[in-house]
Structure formats: C-alpha cells, structure tokens
C-alpha cells in the first residue's frame, strides 16, 4: 500500500525536527488507513448515561420566559429531576489490538460529534481509532448534546453562553479576529489553514450552548465513567484538558495514558501531585497560529500553562511527549485538529504514541 | 440455534390470535438474534447535521437569566447563529441484507438514544436491526440532544417544557397516575409491565427539554435528510408518528415502508392524499394499558386517531398492518416498546414485516 503524499510530507517535515523522529518513523511504517477498504468487525454499539444527581423542585411559580408580544404564562417547576449526567456512546471492536479502549472527552461547547465524521464528511477520529484497533467511548459532557441540560435558573443558576459564528471562527483559530463574514466567499481564513473552511456551517451546527459553573458535577460523572470502563487511554480537547488532568489525579491507576489536544493550560502541581501521576505517559499536541497577533491574547497563556505543566511532570520523572506541530514543520492546524485536513495523519501519530508508550 | 422461551411465548400468544399469524410465524422461523455471538461487519460509522437556517441577531441587550441573589448581568445576543438542524448518526453495514436502510426518528422529548442500548443495558433497536441486516440512521430532532437548541426568547420564542420523573413514568405508561414515588421501592408500576422499572433513572436521564412550536423547521430538516439517504424505511415513535405521516405525503417515492410505534394519532386524509401514499406499506404497533383508567384520557384519542388513519389508508387500497400487542395476547408493553423486556422480539417482528412487505 503506498503512502499518501500528505503523510509523506508530514513525515519529511516532522522527522527532520528534533523530538518526534521515532514517533514519525513509526507512523510512516504503519499501514495507512484506507477508509472503506476493510470492514470493521464490531462486537457492540450502544450508549448509556453515567453520573448525576436528583433534585426535587417545590413548584414555586414564576413567569415563563417568552418573547415579547406573546401572552404571559406561569410555569411551576415541580417534581423530581435528574441532572448532571454524562452521555457515553461506545463502539467495541470484536478483537481490539490496542492495549486499552480510548475515551474521548470533547472541549467546551462541543459534544462527542467532534470525534465523529469531520464537517467535510471524512471519517473522524472515532473511525480512525477504530480502524487502528481501539475500542472507542465517545462522550457528551453534562449540559451538552445527549447529556441534556437542566432548566435555569432553578437547577443551573443561569442561562448559558451562545457562541455566534464569528466567535467560533476566531476562537477555534480558523482565521484571525475580524476575518469572519456572513457570506462564505468574503471570509479570510489563515491562508495555510487546514480546517475545511467550506464546511464551516456544518461545523457550526454542532456547537452547543455553554453553561458556566458546572465543572464539579462533570468531573464527578467522568470519574464514574472511568471507574466503569477503564483501564483506558483518555483523550481530551481544549477545556477538557485541565479537567482531564484533575481526573488523572484521582485515577492514576485507571488512566494508562493521557492525550491532550490543545489543552486550556495545565493545573497547578505540587511535588506530591506531580509524582502521583508520573508513571502515566502523556502526549500533548498543539496546532498553529497560537502566537499570531489577535490569537495570542487567548492562546499564548494556555500554551505556556500547558508547557509549564509538562515541564513539572518531566521534572517528576514522567514521560511527556510534546507534539508541537508547527515547530516540527506542520503548518496551519487550527484548534480543531481532529477536523483539519490532516486529522487522519495526526490520529495515526497518536495511535503510534499509544502503542509505543502505554503499558 | 434454539428459540428463547420469551420468543416462543410471544409466538404462542401472538399467533393464536387473528391477523398477525403469518408475521409471527416468519418471526419464529427467522434466526434468533444472539447478542455478541457474531461480530458485525461495518463499513462506516459517522454523523452529520442536516437542515436549519441562519439568523442574525442585533445585539439588543437584556438582563441575563440568573438565579435570585446572583449579581445582575447584561447579555447582548448578537451575530450569526445556525439553528433548526437535525443530527444524524449512521452505522452502515458492509453487506446489508435488508432492502433499504432504516431511518429512526424519536418521539417528543426523546433523542436517538431511545434506539441505542436499553436503559437496563440490553442491545437496543439500533443493534437489533443492524444484526438483522439493516444499515441504520438514528436521529435527534431539532432542539434535542446533539441537534442543539437555540436560545430563547431571541430565536425560539419561549423556554421549553421540562418533564419531571413522575410525568415521565405516567406518560410513557409504566404505571398508572399517582403510582410514582421518589423512592424506587415505593413505585407501583402496572404489575405486568415489561418496562425495566429498575432502570427507570437511567431512562429518565435521556429525557430532553421539549420545545413547542418548532414542527415546521423539524419537518423541513427531516425532508432534507430523506432526500439525502433514501430510498429507506422510516420508523417513528409517538409524536414523530404524525410528522412522519406528513413526511410521507411529501416523499412517497423515497419512503418505501413506514413503521409507526404508538403514533400520536394520524393526520387528516382526503381521498387524494390517502391515494398518494397508498402504495407505501405501513405497520402500526401499539402496546398495553392504552384504555386503562388514568391512561385512556391521554391515549385513547391517539389510539383511535391512529386506527382511523389506518382505516382511511386501507380504503384507499394501502397495505396497513396493525400490530396491537395486547389484542394478540402480548400484555404489559409500555409506550417505550423499544426499551421493554421484549424489545428484541418486537424488532424481529418489524424486521420480518419489512422483508415481507417492502419492495
């Protein structure tokens, strides 16, 4: 099977640089995924919810939130409600070849859809990792997607934040600030972006309202999930990076490897907490334009926090691989690396890292 | 392969009665699904969003909805927002043996999770139909699950309805009115219920907030979906029953068979609209306790509407199979037939109906 130009190119650029040479060589030697070529042998596909609490509301009446001009109505939130759960979708291979199943945790205002098909219809990381021999658990954090949200202000204290299209375009580093326009042809993405800009609307349709102040319940629900399906490898993205680091502090026995895709910084470590997780190998992946004007105000502090976290772990003896794509010659990745044009190649690098590092 | 007692029992009870004898015999003769016995050969698993609109909000400020006691904040909804989309998850078999893929449309305040694993962890209809040779599309209607909701009151005119646990217990006919209690041991389900009552909380965690007034956008999005993935067999449940009938009016060429699980009534038909869809075979399935005291106020009118719709179609020459489970000796099915203890047997009956009736 021949090696696609994109992967050869990635290899050449990437392996010329320090650090990741062994990783890249392994990626090149591995069989290239060929979507559709071989059927997957699947044992089961299904889902469940995990975590959450019950609350009883007392039925105190208030005015229903309605648009101006509609007749007033009273709502009386009353009865038992379940909230705080995480949704977990699983695809179990008949004969996985990876050492452990992979648990995918999405970033803020995103759901497990992040890891399904890419916005332009290519196979997503869920399929990439299945084809590479990993059983995959894909999750929706509480208040997003199929982990349905709870009413506000009675259960959640306040209404969520809704991100408009321009904000999504900028915060996910598809283009610099001010480069979004309603008309697709008028948008100015970074010239080298690997995000499939023609499918931006398809991506924007998966963005979920974002609630604040719910991290404790989310962490508790994910902890229950880890106890249920691990030992495993955990993969986080963006805002779930730091919460993944907290989860690792609780379960260094169950998380056998941790992959952080552009984590929103690190967490504060002491000598004790660093050494508690030092035996768990970690991989941290960063894309491009992090320090560009307009992006660096948001991203540089997170990148530095991520670097600092990795450094502290390394000083405690941990194995932390740092895959800084542009530093290794791979330009143009957005914050949505799992949707970018080279998503399958990055998945392949992660797969190879897992096989090399996770015991 | 031996026939499980539950299926033999269903056969005995069911086939003793009029109407469904051929259907039941076919079900018994077919190989019984044995979860986990044989791996599935899968071509692809993925997802996409379809349908929806774009709206530009002007940024007119208002007070943010927050709990009493929290500091006041202003929110200025501003920018381009996408809304009205349907989420579609697909599992495509390498070699389907069914004539067409199956599209699963959930009921009101439910999502595609309805069709994934049952609340007590058995394989759901998605797996049952995959094992029976159907490629399966599972959907979330707009404002539920991964078809994320739009802010109110700026886009949706009002906040949704949230169903408390007691309401879910009663409306899905697990137990009669007044039979729910917060403590599981104190709940009084119908003695013969087939719903897995021990997993009620697991079910309640999948219930989604329910918006009113969004049927037009939902119908338009599903119509786009049908144009994209059909010819197909469409399966609806409850509130999606009548909207499925509307969809069939638009696309009698694309929907080659229609299965309605306890549809919330029918739609009004004229001689012309009945004959437009008369060549499409339909199956209508009803569970138990529809006319019991406390349930009949809600359910009997819907059941009668469903009967009337079927009758009008039959007079127009359509083939409409009516699977009234209790009338055929199968007692205790709730409104959530796809989660009941005999869900796999009902899936088998539906599969056999498709193979017998759909061309």
């Amino acid at each position: 099977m021949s090696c696609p130009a994109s992967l050869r190119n990635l290899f050449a650029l990437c392996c010329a640089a320090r650090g990741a040479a062994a990783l890249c060589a392994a990626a090149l030697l591995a069989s290239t995924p060929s979507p559709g070529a071989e059927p997957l042998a699947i044992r089961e596909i299904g889902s469940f919810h995990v975590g959450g609490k019950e609350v009883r509301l007392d039925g105190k009446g208030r005015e229903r939130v309605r648009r101006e001009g509609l007749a007033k109505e009273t709502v009386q939130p009353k009865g038992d409600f379940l909230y705080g759960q995480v949704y977990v979708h699983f695809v179990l291979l008949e004969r996985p070849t990876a050492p452990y199943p992979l648990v995918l945790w999405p970033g803020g205002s995103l759901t497990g859809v992040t890891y399904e098909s890419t916005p332009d219809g290519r196979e997503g990381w869920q399929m990439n990792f299945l084809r590479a021999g990993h059983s995959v658990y894909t999750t929706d954090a509480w208040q997003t997607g199929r982990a349905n949200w709870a009413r506000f202000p009675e259960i959640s204290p306040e209404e969520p934040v809704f991100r408009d299209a321009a904000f999504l375009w900028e915060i996910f580093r598809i283009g610099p600030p001010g480069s979004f326009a309603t008309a697709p042809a008028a948008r100015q993405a970074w010239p080298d972006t690997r995000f499939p800009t023609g499918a931006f609307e398809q991506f924007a349709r998966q963005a979920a309202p974002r609630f604040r102040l719910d991290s404790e319940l989310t962490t508790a629900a994910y902890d229950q999930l880890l106890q249920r399906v691990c030992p495993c490898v955990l993969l986080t993205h963006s805002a779930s990076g730091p919460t993944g680091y907290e989860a690792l502090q609780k379960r260094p026995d169950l998380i056998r490897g941790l992959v952080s895709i552009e984590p929103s910084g690190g967490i504060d470590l002491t000598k004790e907490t660093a050494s508690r997780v030092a035996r768990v190998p970690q991989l941290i992946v960063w894309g491009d334009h992090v320090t560009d004007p307009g992006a660096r105000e948001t991203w540089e502090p997170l990148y530095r926090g991520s670097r600092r976290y990795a450094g502290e772990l390394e000083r405690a003896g941990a194995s932390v691989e740092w895959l800084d794509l542009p530093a290794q010659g791979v330009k143009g990745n957005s914050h949505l690396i799992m949707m970018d044009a080279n998503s399958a190649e990055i998945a392949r690098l992660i797969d190879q890292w897992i096989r090399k590092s996770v015991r």
Side-chain angles (χ1 to χ4, degrees), chain A:
Chain A
M1 192 178 291
S2 76
C3 184
S6 55
L7 186 60
R8 256 183 280 127
N9 194 33
L10 178 71
F11 171 73
L13 289 167
C14 174
C15 299
R18 69 181 158 70
L23 191 58
C24 294
L28 191 69
L29 291 171
S31 67
T32 307
S34 303
E38 290 289 329
L40 282 176
I42 297 288
R43 181 151 59 85
E44 194 179 348
I45 302 171
S47 69
F48 56 89
H49 288 88
V50 66
K53 287 187 172 183
E54 195 170 299
V55 66
R56 171 174 280 272
L57 299 181
D58 62 4
K60 207 176 111 183
R62 64 168 170 80
E63 198 178 312
R64 187 187 176 90
V65 179
R66 304 194 83 185
R67 192 163 52 198
E68 238 174 280
L70 292 179
K72 283 195 195 310
E73 279 185 8
T74 298
V75 60
Q76 289 191 291
K78 187 178 176 176
D80 296 329
F81 294 87
L82 293 142
Y83 70 105
Q85 67 274 31
V86 161
Y87 167 77
V88 186
H89 182 269
F90 59 84
V91 184
L92 306 180
L93 292 175
E94 180 69 9
R95 280 176 294 277
T97 61
Y100 303 104
L102 189 60
V103 176
L104 305 178
W105 189 342
S109 82
L110 296 174
T111 68
V113 176
T114 304
Y115 301 111
E116 295 178 343
S117 307
T118 66
D120 55 335
R122 289 169 291 121
E123 294 191 347
W125 276 9
Q126 183 190 51
M127 271 305 285
N128 294 158
F129 284 110
L130 286 166
R131 289 200 191 280
H134 306 249
S135 285
V136 178
Y137 292 85
T138 310
T139 61
D140 293 355
W142 180 45
Q143 311 249 49
T144 64
R146 288 167 164 182
N148 289 301
W149 56 289
R151 68 191 316 147
F152 52 85
E154 285 87 6
I155 299 178
S156 290
E158 58 183 28
E159 67 180 305
V161 172
F162 292 78
R163 295 168 155 188
D164 74 304
F167 186 87
L168 294 171
W169 177 270
E170 291 174 17
I171 198 70
F172 289 111
R173 296 202 323 279
I174 300 168
S179 68
F180 182 80
T182 303
R187 294 170 195 165
Q188 297 288 326
W190 266 295
D192 65 356
T193 189
R194 291 180 189 252
F195 184 84
T197 52
F200 174 76
E201 268 71 15
Q202 182 63 226
F203 162 66
R205 288 191 179 91
Q206 71 178 255
R210 185 170 190 174
F211 287 85
R212 305 190 292 195
L213 309 170
D214 61 359
S215 67
E216 200 178 312
L217 266 170
T218 297
T219 304
Y222 272 95
D223 190 54
Q224 285 190 41
L225 170 62
L226 297 176
Q227 291 180 67
R228 179 163 167 174
V229 307
C230 298
C232 60
V233 172
L234 178 63
L235 185 149
T236 66
H237 176 222
S238 193
S240 67
T243 38
Y245 296 145
E246 297 288 2
L248 179 63
Q249 283 293 326
K250 264 195 191 160
R251 305 290 168 195
D253 49 331
L254 291 178
I255 299 171
R256 300 295 169 89
L258 180 54
V259 181
S260 308
I261 308 300
E262 296 212 347
S264 301
I267 58 170
D268 290 334
L269 289 172
T270 62
K271 210 170 163 181
E272 193 203 334
T273 55
S275 87
R276 182 186 298 155
V277 301
R279 68 179 179 282
V280 181
Q282 299 200 36
L283 172 65
I284 301 175
V285 184
W286 278 90
D288 204 354
H289 302 297
V290 166
T291 56
D292 282 24
R296 68 173 165 237
E297 293 73 9
T298 300
W299 289 106
E300 207 169 11
L302 303 178
Y303 180 89
R304 283 177 194 278
S306 178
R307 258 290 191 215
R308 192 166 50 241
Y309 175 76
E312 283 169 19
L313 283 177
E314 278 173 337
R315 277 190 293 282
S319 155
V320 185
E321 194 127 11
W322 185 266
L323 184 56
D324 187 330
L325 294 169
Q328 293 170 10
V330 182
K331 304 288 190 189
N333 273 107
S334 74
H335 187 49
L336 297 161
I337 293 174
M338 68 291 289
M339 302 180 195
D340 287 342
N342 58 348
S343 61
E345 285 90 345
I346 307 296
R348 175 64 45 182
L349 293 175
I350 295 168
D351 168 57
Q352 292 304 320
W353 175 82
I354 291 170
R355 288 169 188 277
K356 184 191 72 172
S357 308
V358 174
R359 293 287 164 269

